[in-house]
Amino acid sequence: MVQQNAKTDTRRRNFALIACFAAAAAVADRELPGIRKADILMSCLGQLNAVHDSGSALSMERFRAGLQGPLARLLPADIAASAGVGDLRLLDEHDRLEDDVDALLDEYWIPTAALSSHWSLQRIRAEQEEQRLYQQLRRLPEQDYTQAREHLVDLPSGELRRLRRAWDHLWTRFDVYTPIVDWTWCQVRGHWFPCPVCRWPMAVLGTGPVVDIRCRAHRREGASYTCDTASDGHPEAVPAGPGAEEVTPLPATTEYLAVTPAVWRYVTLPGLLECRLRDYAHAQGASVQMWPHKDRYDLRIELGQRTWRVDAKAWASVVALGESLRPEEEEETYTGLIIVIPDHQRNEREVLHHMVSGHGYRVLTATGLEREITKEAEKR
């Protein structure tokens, strides 16, 4: 119970601080249209008030004025004390960001671009969680690093006892799993359904007597079902997608956990693609190193006279992926690094290639890379 309270306190602190940072950045941006600025402030105020007690919610006037004062005026007392930021100010008297803000962003793993480009609060939280996880991973010895990465791919959900056994001595090093009982969006009458492809909880869509159950990432691969919510007994997922495999409902209790959405999106999903490429390359007789130098890139594949350095990406938007791959320094290039995207994005490969080829990247689909490996294997 103590551990759960500590996790809750950490989340509350992060939510509150992100809301204050994002609001201050919006106020300080002289070029930001007024309507957009108002939307950001309303969203930030809503997130900040969500961590306050019901009787201590802030008004917009108090929130806006508090950005120039000590953060203790905006944060719940327990958060201000635990974060050690109660005396800090985000804006000066001219509504300019204080110099201390950059240091705070580094401390809480928030990219500077998140504020300058006014990312959504959800995107900031996801990026923060991803950066924090990789910081923890990189502190591990090489062997433990690889083992932890494999667990985040192979075990994105499961029963607590099984997860503890698998993670062994690494279990207490990471805080990436959440009780599925807290996620009402994936439940039908107290049960949830693991995706047959990625094994993460599938989403339940609709409110009528028959609902849809789909994996947000693998619907195209057939992870799509329907469920009669009024039937007796355990809910049943009836296959609706082409080739959909049968899935077994599991109880949504505190004994069943799943990695957070950010870990699933940014670690598990690309990890599935990485492992597919690894297994294919091995089958062709190639030598494969996973996550060399603690994830400088994802795979190093050597076969015959060729070497492939691969970064696998499973982003929903190739345009957003392209923007993220552009280096901060224009002269920086990544000659020889191959960006591999899922096959279902084959029609968008040219768009991504156009965005990043000038920085030295090549762009292939998973099948495209496998063809190159096969061609090299046939020479032997």
Side-chain angles (χ1 to χ4, degrees), residues 4-304:
Q4 183 63 36
N5 287 339
K7 289 171 61 177
T8 301
D9 288 344
T10 298
R11 291 195 182 109
R12 288 178 63 239
R13 182 181 68 234
N14 289 341
F15 278 25
L17 292 176
I18 288 171
C20 292
F21 295 159
V27 171
D29 189 343
R30 300 291 195 273
E31 304 298 323
L32 191 65
I35 294 178
R36 172 73 173 131
K37 186 173 297 191
D39 286 343
I40 293 174
L41 288 173
M42 285 297 297
S43 177
C44 292
L45 178 59
Q47 177 164 299
L48 182 58
N49 277 335
V51 304
H52 274 271
D53 295 332
S54 57
S56 61
L58 302 170
S59 66
M60 177 57 75
E61 181 180 9
R62 184 180 166 194
F63 178 46
R64 176 65 182 79
L67 293 172
Q68 288 185 338
L71 275 178
R73 296 180 184 176
L74 298 179
L75 303 176
D78 60 321
I79 291 179
S82 65
V85 295
D87 295 330
L88 294 177
R89 301 170 186 270
L90 300 183
L91 295 173
D92 65 18
E93 64 273 17
H94 302 294
D95 280 340
R96 295 175 302 204
L97 287 174
E98 294 278 9
D99 294 337
D100 290 341
V101 172
D102 285 342
L104 282 171
L105 296 182
D106 289 340
E107 183 178 347
Y108 287 94
W109 294 290
I110 299 173
T112 303
L115 300 192
S116 60
S117 300
H118 304 294
W119 292 1
S120 69
L121 297 178
Q122 182 179 17
R123 183 180 176 187
I124 295 175
R125 292 198 302 266
E127 179 75 17
Q128 180 194 43
E129 186 173 347
E130 181 188 10
Q131 292 302 317
R132 180 181 291 109
L133 173 60
Y134 279 112
Q135 286 279 354
Q136 292 174 309
L137 285 168
R138 290 183 181 117
R139 296 191 188 106
L140 298 174
E142 194 87 29
Q143 182 176 348
D144 286 348
Y145 177 92
T146 301
Q147 182 181 345
R149 287 295 303 272
E150 289 175 345
H151 287 335
L152 293 172
V153 176
D154 297 334
L155 298 169
S157 66
E159 194 174 10
L160 175 59
R161 286 176 295 180
R162 183 188 174 210
L163 293 172
R164 282 183 183 274
R165 284 196 300 269
W167 281 84
D168 194 24
H169 67 284
L170 294 175
W171 178 251
T172 58
R173 299 285 297 270
F174 297 96
D175 181 21
V176 296
Y177 287 92
T178 296
I180 294 175
V181 69
D182 296 337
W183 291 350
T184 57
W185 54 266
C186 65
Q187 297 179 33
V188 175
R189 297 205 315 273
H191 289 76
W192 64 282
F193 303 85
C195 169
V197 180
C198 65
R199 297 175 295 282
W200 201 66
M202 293 189 287
V204 176
L205 307 173
T207 57
V210 177
V211 296
D212 293 324
I213 301 174
R214 299 176 190 164
C215 176
R216 290 170 173 153
H218 297 109
R219 178 173 55 85
R220 293 183 181 89
E221 285 85 344
S224 180
Y225 304 81
T226 61
C227 180
D228 181 357
T229 63
S231 62
D232 295 330
H234 290 171
E236 180 183 0
V238 179
E245 299 180 20
E246 186 173 329
V247 296
T248 301
L250 296 171
T253 67
T254 55
E255 293 302 304
Y256 280 91
L257 309 178
V259 295
T260 62
V263 173
W264 172 72
R265 171 63 64 189
Y266 297 112
V267 181
T268 303
L269 292 184
L272 290 171
L273 182 56
E274 293 155 10
C275 291
R276 164 188 164 174
L277 298 172
R278 174 200 63 194
D279 295 344
Y280 186 88
H282 275 155
Q284 302 304 311
S287 171
V288 182
Q289 183 181 3
M290 297 295 291
W291 307 297
H293 311 294
K294 296 188 181 180
D295 207 27
R296 185 171 298 174
Y297 50 94
D298 295 327
L299 302 94
R300 181 181 177 89
I301 301 171
E302 296 180 340
L303 180 62

